Structures are given as C-alpha cells and as structure tokens.
Amino acid sequence: MNVIECEKLTKKRRQLTALQDLSFSIEENTITGLIGRNGAGKTTLLKILAGFWRPSSGKVEVFKEDPFQNLFISANAIYVDDQMRYSSRLTLSEILTEAERFYENWDAELANRLFDYFSFHPRQAHHHLSKGKMSTFNMIIGLASRCALTMFDEPTTGMDAGVRKDFYRALLKDYIANPRTIIISSHHLEEIEDLLEDVLLLDEGKKYFHLPMDELKEYAVGISGRTEVVMQWMANKEVIHNEQVGNNATYAIVKNDYFSIDQAKQLGMEVSPVSASDLCVHLTSRSKGGIESVFK
Amino acid sequence: MIISSDSAKPIYVQIAEWIETEILNGNLKENDKVYSQYKLAEMFTINPATAAKGLNMLHEEKILYNKRGLGKFVTAEARMIITDKRKNRVLKGMLQEAALEAERLEVNEEELINMLHTIFKERKGDTK
C-alpha cells in the first residue's frame, strides 16, 4: 500500500518555484531518505505532506487523504524539525504529558527512557535548551509518537557525533519493533544510508530520482587514469563529474554499466567505488567543475 | 564484522558474505537456522530490507533453504557451494590482477607462467 502519493505536485512561493511537477509514491513501512542540496525543496515537500502548507497545483495524498489542515493527518503523521515550538509555560515533562494526550500510539515508556538516557531535566524549559539538546528532545517526541508516518527534517542539527549515532540506532530499533513509514531528510547521507531502503533525490524542486539504496550504490563508479586515455574512453559515456588530478591524470565519475567498467580495467585505468553521498552532491552540482571553477 | 559503507560491495553482499564465512567457520552448520532479517538489521544497524536481500541472494544460490514461517536454514551443500564460488571468484580475480600487472611491466605470458612454476616448485621444496 502506498502511504504517500504525489502527482505533478507544484509549490510556488511568490516568484520562486519551490517544487515542480513532483510525482512519486512511498510505500508503507519503508524508510526513505530525502536528499538534496540547500534549497532543493526538501522542507517544502515535508511541510506539504504534514498538512502545514497547501500545494499550488498537482495532487498530494497521504493515507489517501488530502493532508492540508486535516485532523486525521495531524494525529497520524508527525513532522519533526528544529523549529518546533511549544508553549513557553510548559516544562519538558509537561510537553511529554501533552504529547501523550494527543498521540494515540504514544510510547510513554520509550519517551521516559530516552528522556533519562539523554539526561534531560523534567522541569527544564524547551526554549532554554541548547541547539543539540533541542534536536534530541524533538527526536524523542518524533520516536515516541509512533505515528504511522514519521518525518524528520534534518533531525541531527547540533547533535554531537555520539548522540547522532544513538539516534540512528534508536530509530532503527524502534522501527524494527514497530514498523512504520519514515522519511528522513539529511545533508549527511553517509550517516543514514545504511538505515535507508529508498532514496528520493531532489534537485531544484524536481525529482532527480527515487531509487532503492542498493541501486544508488551501484549507480556510478570512479575512474582514474592518464587524461588522454580517460577522455577517449569517456567519449560516449554518461559523465557525472570529471576533474584533473595532478599533471596528466583525470578522475571522473561515470554512470555504471558493467561492460565498459571491465574495458576500463583492461585499459589500465583504476576503478573505484563512489560513495552515495558524493554521488548525490555531484549529480546535483550546478557546474561539472564544482567549486574549482570559481577559482580559475 | 563491521559493515563498511565505503566498500565497493553493496551492503547486502557484505551481509551475505558474512553469513558465508559463519558457515565456513562452522558457526552455522547444516540445517541450522540463520539470523532473521530483523536480527541482522539490528546487529549491523542496517535496513531490514537490505538484510533480506542478502538472505535472498543466499537462498537463490542454494546456500540457504526456506521453511515456511520458520525462517531460513543452511543447506547440506552450503559449504561446497561457498568454497566453489570463492575459488572461482577470488582466485580468478587474483590471476587477472597478476596478468594486468604483467602487461604493465611488459612481462610476457611465458615468463609469467614460468614464475608460477617456480613458485609451485619452491612450495613443494618447502613442504618436503
């Protein structure tokens, strides 16, 4: 069953097109990574799915319903980001109590265990928390709400490396115990890729691709060798990125087809894997030369 | 085992190879039940679907068999299949590397084979 279905979803804000003709669907009980550069439209998409914003045109359905200001969606989908605001009169433990009243599947035991593990104080105020602590607290709300659709928008902002690791582990363990549909947006694909089943890559408001993580890992390879050899070999290939390395060598990222890779090896070029995270950066980079082209 | 995201091998292949090694080591024997996709996911902090893909790969290669509702188990031929597969793949790969390096160094076929002969002779001498 598809939990989310979008068809030609478009969102315009003043002059700017934040999302353009976005069509995709997300299956129940999968973990999807929402990846893209700054301003690619990740937050806009998530806010539309959560029912905060209305699309300009196109179709969006969450649990077969229009999410915009929809109470059923509010109760069954949660959107977690670093802008979450609560009444400043509530203490942290009061926020947890209120959340328990709102979310039907709230897991109070998990919430309290995480609360203690991360050493929160029950009488602390949310707006006095540090950036990292605030993200950690919001993550607890996101996990404990156990919503059928759980969306994390850059959940690890400000968290230190240890807490990030704990968060990913907690997310996975709770997902295994209580499967649900999860979307995580992140700039750190390398940190979350092992958790993901699918990746949705956005580029300037458009879908670049929506692929299973395993396919993304085999999507492209890195080739390096003498410039003239590499250049000649690349002539009829789909080149994603290429740069000069040293005097007479070139490193290039090309779309993977197994036949030509063998050929490259035969020609004495070195073939190396390309991390999913590097690949996404190069795929959505504005110029093939990257930042280097600025300093020419 | 540590799962490496940087490896050229997809994670499901790394999972499958880890289970193969468990079988070769004797940690998993014929008709033993292997870890479920969820157990593997938890052990290595990976998506359960990825773990399932690794298990299915071994099932297709007849290293594991299914018992409906109970999970996957080690087949009688598992060890043999794994040994065969690794021989073909690993050994052949090494020889290909050697051939490539020989070309770079302008060592011809005959010379390379002679080198191999010498190595075998030396090893025989060692074991005597």
Side-chain angles (χ1 to χ4, degrees):
Chain A
M1 191 193 91
N2 286 335
V3 166
I4 296 170
E5 277 180 52
C6 291
E7 238 182 84
K8 292 192 168 284
L9 177 64
T10 299
K11 176 72 181 173
K12 293 193 171 125
R13 306 181 67 195
R14 297 203 184 90
Q15 306 295 328
L16 206 97
T17 305
L19 294 176
Q20 198 183 335
D21 288 329
L22 200 57
S23 300
F24 69 95
S25 55
I26 287 184
E27 223 177 288
E28 189 180 25
N29 298 342
T30 53
I31 308 182
T32 303
L34 181 60
I35 307 297
R37 308 291 287 261
N38 290 326
K42 304 187 293 288
T43 297
T44 307
L45 174 61
L46 292 177
K47 287 197 168 167
I48 289 173
L49 295 176
F52 298 175
W53 291 348
R54 198 205 292 267
S56 309
S57 63
K59 187 188 93 171
V60 54
E61 278 186 355
V62 178
F63 303 118
K64 308 275 172 221
E65 298 202 20
D66 174 2
F68 185 64
Q69 293 190 348
N70 179 325
L71 197 57
F72 178 78
I73 301 301
S74 305
N76 290 285
I78 189 166
Y79 170 79
V80 177
D81 72 350
D82 59 356
Q83 310 285 317
M84 287 174 112
R85 292 286 173 266
Y86 304 93
S87 162
S88 55
R89 283 196 222 147
L90 295 178
T91 64
L92 292 184
S93 74
E94 284 165 346
I95 295 174
L96 294 185
T97 313
E98 289 305 311
E100 183 168 7
R101 270 154 41 93
F102 188 76
Y103 291 108
E104 199 185 352
N105 298 325
W106 181 263
D107 186 343
E109 201 194 322
L110 177 68
N112 292 331
R113 278 164 178 256
L114 289 170
F115 193 85
D116 290 340
Y117 176 80
F118 289 108
S119 333
F120 283 101
H121 192 282
R123 297 224 305 273
Q124 261 174 315
H126 188 263
H127 60 276
H128 286 156
L129 294 173
S130 73
K131 215 183 205 178
K133 279 294 220 184
M134 208 178 265
S135 295
T136 309
F137 183 79
N138 296 345
M139 168 268 276
I140 296 177
I141 300 269
L143 286 180
S145 69
R146 211 175 265 170
C147 284
L149 173 60
T150 303
M151 294 175 279
F152 290 103
D153 193 357
E154 292 290 341
T156 56
T157 309
M159 288 182 187
D160 65 42
V163 176
R164 291 209 297 274
K165 236 181 140 182
D166 284 342
F167 164 60
Y168 299 134
R169 185 100 186 115
L171 177 77
L172 185 79
K173 283 183 84 99
D174 201 49
Y175 166 76
I176 291 171
N178 304 284
R180 52 204 194 257
T181 309
I182 297 176
I183 306 178
I184 314 175
S185 91
S186 177
H187 290 298
H188 301 282
L189 180 57
E190 70 283 358
E191 285 187 359
I192 58 169
E193 60 178 82
D194 294 354
L195 301 179
L196 303 178
E197 186 163 343
D198 297 309
V199 173
L200 176 60
L201 177 64
L202 293 186
D203 184 26
E204 296 193 319
K206 289 179 225 145
K207 177 173 90 174
Y208 197 97
F209 58 52
H210 187 194
L211 281 178
M213 191 63 220
D214 293 320
E215 280 177 39
L216 179 57
K217 292 213 80 159
E218 295 173 58
Y219 189 86
V221 288
I223 301 284
S224 53
R226 294 205 356 251
T227 299
E228 62 265 29
V229 182
V230 176
M231 285 303 185
Q232 199 181 11
W233 177 82
M234 281 195 316
N236 53 351
K237 309 266 181 322
E238 198 172 318
V239 181
I240 294 159
H241 170 81
N242 82 74
E243 62 184 289
Q244 285 276 335
V245 192
N247 262 342
N248 188 26
T250 291
Y251 170 74
I253 299 176
V254 294
K255 202 162 170 199
N256 196 354
D257 66 86
Y258 293 93
F259 173 72
S260 5
I261 300 313
D262 274 348
Q263 194 186 35
K265 280 187 192 156
Q266 297 296 324
L267 289 169
M269 288 180 256
E270 285 211 31
V271 179
S272 54
V274 180
S275 76
S277 139
D278 282 351
L279 176 63
C280 286
V281 168
H282 288 306
L283 284 173
T284 55
S285 132
R286 294 281 72 84
S287 86
K288 291 258 185 289
I291 188 73
E292 297 306 321
S293 59
V294 175
F295 292 94
K296 264 175 190 160
Chain B
M1 181 187 68
I2 306 269
I3 292 285
S4 159
S5 304
D6 300 330
S7 163
K9 286 177 192 155
I11 292 167
Y12 70 90
V13 176
Q14 295 183 48
I15 292 293
E17 286 182 353
W18 179 77
I19 294 170
E20 285 176 5
T21 307
E22 289 285 287
I23 294 171
L24 288 182
N25 287 344
N27 290 342
L28 285 170
K29 295 185 182 66
E30 188 183 333
N31 295 324
D32 277 357
K33 183 180 179 340
V34 298
Y35 312 91
S36 73
Q37 65 179 105
Y38 299 103
K39 181 75 191 150
L40 289 167
E42 216 204 293
M43 283 163 75
F44 299 114
T45 321
I46 56 168
N47 191 293
T50 311
K53 206 168 163 186
L55 289 170
N56 287 334
M57 193 171 110
L58 295 176
H59 179 242
E60 275 164 28
E61 292 175 0
K62 302 200 163 41
I63 290 167
L64 303 180
Y65 66 92
N66 260 335
K67 263 193 212 171
R68 192 171 294 194
L70 292 174
K72 290 195 163 53
F73 296 79
V74 180
T75 61
E77 320 73 69
R79 279 185 76 96
M80 200 188 70
I81 297 171
I82 299 164
T83 320
D84 258 22
K85 189 172 78 167
R86 291 207 176 175
K87 255 189 223 161
N88 281 325
R89 197 180 51 200
V90 180
L91 200 56
K92 208 177 153 193
M94 285 174 166
L95 291 174
Q96 268 165 349
E97 290 281 312
L100 199 65
E101 183 68 6
E103 262 170 47
R104 282 193 204 118
L105 302 174
E106 293 173 5
V107 171
N108 67 27
E109 202 180 314
E110 205 188 321
E111 254 180 289
L112 185 65
I113 291 170
N114 278 338
M115 280 169 86
L116 199 59
H117 277 309
T118 318
I119 291 171
F120 273 109
K121 261 184 217 153
E122 278 170 6
R123 288 194 54 82
K124 270 179 204 151
D126 285 345
T127 48
K128 257 176 201 166

